[in-house]
Amino acid sequence: MSLLARRAAAELAGTAFLVIAVVGSGIMASRLSPNDVGLALLENSVATGAALVALIVALQPVSASFNPVVTLVEKALGLLDWRTAGALIVAQFLGGVLGTVVANLMFGLDAVALSAHARSGGGLWLGEVVATVGLLLVVFGTVRSGRADRVAFAVGAYIAAAYWFTSSTSFANPAVTVARTLTDTFAGIAPASAPGFVLAQLVGGVLGFLLVRFLYTSLPVPAASESAAADRKVAS
């Protein structure tokens, strides 16, 4: 199997398990704490952050971005070519859809049920911009500071926290956003709301890229010999 195929498989599997964690823990939280949304969100955020740490640690040696925005910024930084970036992004979207279907089925729901949870408005879109900029700063700032071995813990902690300090509960990931339109549960987002979130995430991606380039201009991008591990980053 080629390296690209292995990387795409890792992105598909990792994104699928990430979405299973997001959607599945959301369903479990809403069932265990049906009358306490705050407690349900806490349960959802802790499970998601912990899953991210585990998935990144496990898959980082192959590929562990799990996020099209992160992959596009990797391309912009010269860490990927377009063929590789395109294959990884397709795998991320497919993995996200697979993860939602599996999570729905695990809890006895229809494999696909479009969400009725509307999430729109300027405040929520701004929250997605903020969440995505922060995620990119954590991912690439950690790597470009020579601490790639700490990315998993930094990202997991950031996403768990961003569930709480952003108005949108920090989707910060187009593949996850699209996947979450397919579940009418705690973690769902209505299909009509998804384009606004994705656009905000892309805006955040541009701003995050510019911020990383501005802050770390004196630090080189990891050399080819090091980037096989250092450029496999993630998000939620």
Side-chain angles (χ1 to χ4, degrees):
M1 182 181 292
S2 70
L3 175 59
L4 180 55
R6 289 174 54 237
R7 293 187 65 179
E11 290 292 335
L12 189 151
T15 309
F17 273 100
L18 171 59
V19 173
I20 290 171
V22 172
V23 175
S25 66
I27 297 170
M28 181 68 80
S30 65
R31 292 182 178 181
L32 294 176
S33 308
N35 301 314
D36 192 334
V37 176
L39 180 57
L41 183 62
L42 177 61
E43 294 159 350
N44 193 202
S45 64
V46 170
T48 301
L52 266 173
V53 172
L55 289 169
I56 299 167
V57 169
L59 293 174
Q60 192 174 25
V62 184
S63 188
S65 295
F66 315 149
N67 189 328
V69 172
V70 174
T71 299
L72 287 172
V73 173
E74 288 183 309
K75 172 62 183 72
L77 290 172
L79 298 171
L80 300 174
D81 56 41
W82 275 118
R83 177 172 175 268
T84 300
L88 299 187
I89 289 170
V90 169
Q92 290 157 1
F93 277 102
L94 291 176
V97 171
L98 176 62
T100 298
V101 170
V102 171
N104 284 337
L105 291 175
M106 280 199 305
F107 287 91
L109 304 175
D110 291 339
V112 173
L114 297 182
S115 176
H117 191 171
R119 304 176 190 252
S120 62
L124 295 183
W125 297 330
L126 177 59
E128 278 302 285
V129 172
V130 170
T132 307
V133 171
L135 175 63
L136 294 174
L137 182 61
V138 168
V139 170
F140 292 99
T142 303
V143 170
R144 290 172 77 96
S145 299
R147 296 171 291 179
D149 59 325
R150 303 179 190 178
V151 165
F153 305 98
V155 170
Y158 174 80
I159 290 299
Y163 262 67
W164 290 89
F165 71 72
T166 63
S167 57
S168 62
T169 66
S170 185
F171 286 48
N173 185 327
V176 171
T177 301
V178 170
R180 288 169 68 167
T181 66
L182 305 178
T183 182
D184 193 19
T185 60
F186 183 82
I189 178 173
S193 299
F197 267 53
V198 171
L199 179 59
Q201 292 155 7
L202 294 175
V203 171
V206 173
L207 295 177
F209 166 74
L210 294 174
L211 181 59
V212 168
R213 288 296 300 267
F214 176 75
L215 291 177
Y216 298 97
T217 53
S218 62
L219 295 176
V221 174
S225 61
E226 300 172 326
S227 63
D231 70 349
R232 320 295 204 254
K233 287 69 64 254
V234 324
S236 158

